[in-house]
């Protein structure tokens, strides 16, 4: 496993994500079904997470392709379980089955299209849907911001309506709590910080805040609409006369739509020197939905998020049973 050190070395430049990995490594590993890990990047991510003691991977895909990818990269597969299936569609289906049967606790995306994997996850009857809408949350370590910042939804829901945004916010709050933020501060972003019917996202932001007041969203402090600068800069918020426990100190940024979120997250990475990781939540298990452009650090950090989230959910379930 000596060749599998890239992710840990890259993460050393990002102290907050690196600290999450350190926390995750102190917990028991989770079992993850890795769907179609038939290229070097996805296979390396799974194997390094295994080497770090965070994940017990089940490699799901055509055995010959997995073994060929491992041989080409010089990786050993000794001690690993391979579920031999015919192709990527079958790999997605089998990964879902492993979760439904209780064998796996998370899914890691390999070298297959996102639509293939998500199609199996959201399929009626055989998928992993719950009553909550599925959404993606980026967890970003930006050098100029004093803490990790979560951005949602920048990868799954294209133009979410109010009720979908409610679930997007709740998923993000849950992940923030799972990684150690006791009461996440949630900024609902728009172009301005006042409510205007000409900008629908401002109206939805105000509605989300009232939903939190009424208990329809729990576990976090919400404010919005807020422009991006007011959400992350105390000085900008003060200049606008915004008095808020969220403004200037946001843990979570909720974007108006996928386009805005995708642009924001990628700007932070490619212009601001940030590193990202992320999960899809709202299904029966966390899904590590890494991109082909993601490096080893993002894959390792995403594995840490999944591990921390699984253990947090288990603790929540245990506490609920004790309370009953």
């Amino acid at each position: 496993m000596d060749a599998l050190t890239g992710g840990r070395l890259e993460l050393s430049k990002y102290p907050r994500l690196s600290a999450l990995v350190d926390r995750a490594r102190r917990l028991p590993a989770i079992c993850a079904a890795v769907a179609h890990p038939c290229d070097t990047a996805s296979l390396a991510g799974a194997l390094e997470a295994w080497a770090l003691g965070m994940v017990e991977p089940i490699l799901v895909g055509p055995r010959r392709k997995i073994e060929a990818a491992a041989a080409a990269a010089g990786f050993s597969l000794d001690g690993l379980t391979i579920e031999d299936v015919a192709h990527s569609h079958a790999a997605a289906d089998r990964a879902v089955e492993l979760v439904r049967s209780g064998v796996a606790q998370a899914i890691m995306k390999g070298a297959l299209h996102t639509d293939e994997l998500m199609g199996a996850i959201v399929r009626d009857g055989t998928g992993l849907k719950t009553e909550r809408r599925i959404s993606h949350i980026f967890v970003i370590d930006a050098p100029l911001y004093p803490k990790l910042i979560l951005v949602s939804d920048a990868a799954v829901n294209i133009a979410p309506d109010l009720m979908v945004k409610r679930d997007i916010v709740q998923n993000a709050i849950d992940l923030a709590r799972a990684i150690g933020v006791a009461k996440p501060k949630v900024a609902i972003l728009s172009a301005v910080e006042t409510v205007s019917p000409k900008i629908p996202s401002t109206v939805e932001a105000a509605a989300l805040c009232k939903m939190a007041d009424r208990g329809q969203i729990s576990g976090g402090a919400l404010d919005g609409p807020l422009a991006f600068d007011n959400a992350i800069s105390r000085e900008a918020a003060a200049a606008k006369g915004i008095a808020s426990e969220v403004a200037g100190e946001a843990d979570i940024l909720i974007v108006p739509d996928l386009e805005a979120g995708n642009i924001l997250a990628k700007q932070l990475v490619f212009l601001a020197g940030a590193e990202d990781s992320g999960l899809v939540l709202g299904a029966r298990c966390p899904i590590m939905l890494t991109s082909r452009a993601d490096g080893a650090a993002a894959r390792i950090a995403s594995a840490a998020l999944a591990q921390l989230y699984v253990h947090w959910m288990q603790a929540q379930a245990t506490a609920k049973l004790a309370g009953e």
Side-chain angles (χ1 to χ4, degrees):
M1 307 294 284
D2 290 344
L4 298 170
T5 58
R8 201 70 182 97
L9 289 173
E10 286 181 27
L11 272 175
S12 65
K13 298 181 288 186
Y14 300 97
R16 290 173 284 267
L17 284 178
S18 189
L20 281 188
V21 172
D22 291 339
R23 280 183 52 205
R25 293 184 68 191
R26 293 193 288 270
L27 297 169
I30 61 171
C31 180
V34 188
H36 206 253
C38 297
D39 66 353
T40 298
S42 59
L43 189 57
L47 295 184
E48 189 167 2
W50 178 48
L52 291 170
M54 296 156 53
V55 166
E56 290 288 342
I58 300 174
L59 308 180
V60 186
R63 178 182 290 272
R64 60 181 179 81
K65 289 187 177 181
I66 295 171
E67 291 177 343
F75 298 155
S76 170
L77 300 179
D78 291 345
L80 285 165
T81 300
I82 298 177
E83 290 263 350
D84 188 16
V85 299
H87 44 64
S88 57
H89 285 292
D93 290 341
R94 181 58 182 153
V96 168
E97 288 173 7
L98 288 168
V99 173
R100 287 178 62 90
S101 66
V103 174
Q105 299 162 286
I107 291 175
M108 181 181 290
K109 177 178 174 285
L112 77 171
H113 290 295
T114 296
D115 288 349
E116 287 183 273
L117 181 58
M118 295 307 297
I121 288 167
V122 303
R123 189 173 297 131
D124 289 337
T126 61
L128 300 174
K129 287 199 298 185
T130 67
E131 293 181 353
R132 193 181 293 180
R133 182 66 172 244
I134 288 172
S135 63
H136 181 273
I137 306 103
F138 275 115
V139 179
I140 297 174
D141 190 339
L144 296 181
Y145 199 63
K147 54 186 174 179
L148 290 171
I149 194 158
L150 284 65
V151 176
S152 190
D153 182 350
V156 174
N157 295 287
I158 297 172
D161 62 20
L162 178 62
M163 296 312 293
V164 172
K165 285 185 177 179
R166 190 217 76 88
D167 287 351
I168 288 171
V169 173
Q170 191 65 65
N171 286 339
I173 289 172
D174 287 353
L175 182 56
R177 293 178 65 198
I179 65 175
V181 184
K183 188 178 181 181
K185 297 176 180 179
V186 184
I188 316 297
L189 296 185
S190 187
V192 296
E193 48 291 321
T194 53
V195 176
S196 169
K198 294 181 180 179
I199 307 177
S201 61
T202 65
V203 179
E204 290 182 344
L208 288 167
C209 293
K210 183 51 66 177
M211 292 169 83
D213 291 343
R214 296 291 186 265
Q216 292 173 270
I217 299 169
S218 63
L222 275 65
D223 195 10
L226 289 172
F228 178 76
D229 56 344
N230 303 321
I232 65 164
S233 167
R234 293 173 184 161
E235 292 77 13
K240 290 287 184 72
I242 299 172
S244 162
E245 65 176 313
V246 174
E249 298 186 10
D251 298 294
I252 298 170
L253 303 176
I254 300 298
V255 297
D257 55 32
L258 181 144
E259 291 172 309
N262 196 273
I263 291 168
L264 171 58
K266 289 179 179 176
Q267 280 179 330
L268 290 172
V269 171
F270 289 98
L271 287 179
E275 181 60 89
D276 66 356
S277 57
L279 286 184
V280 169
L281 298 182
R284 285 169 56 176
C285 75
I287 301 128
M288 292 162 266
L289 198 68
T290 47
S291 164
R292 287 170 293 179
D294 284 332
R299 295 173 188 273
I300 297 305
S302 296
L305 294 175
Q307 188 185 13
L308 291 166
Y309 182 79
V310 166
H311 284 286
W312 180 78
M313 287 295 292
Q314 290 173 344
Q316 295 291 111
T318 299
K320 183 177 180 181
L321 287 173
E324 293 174 352

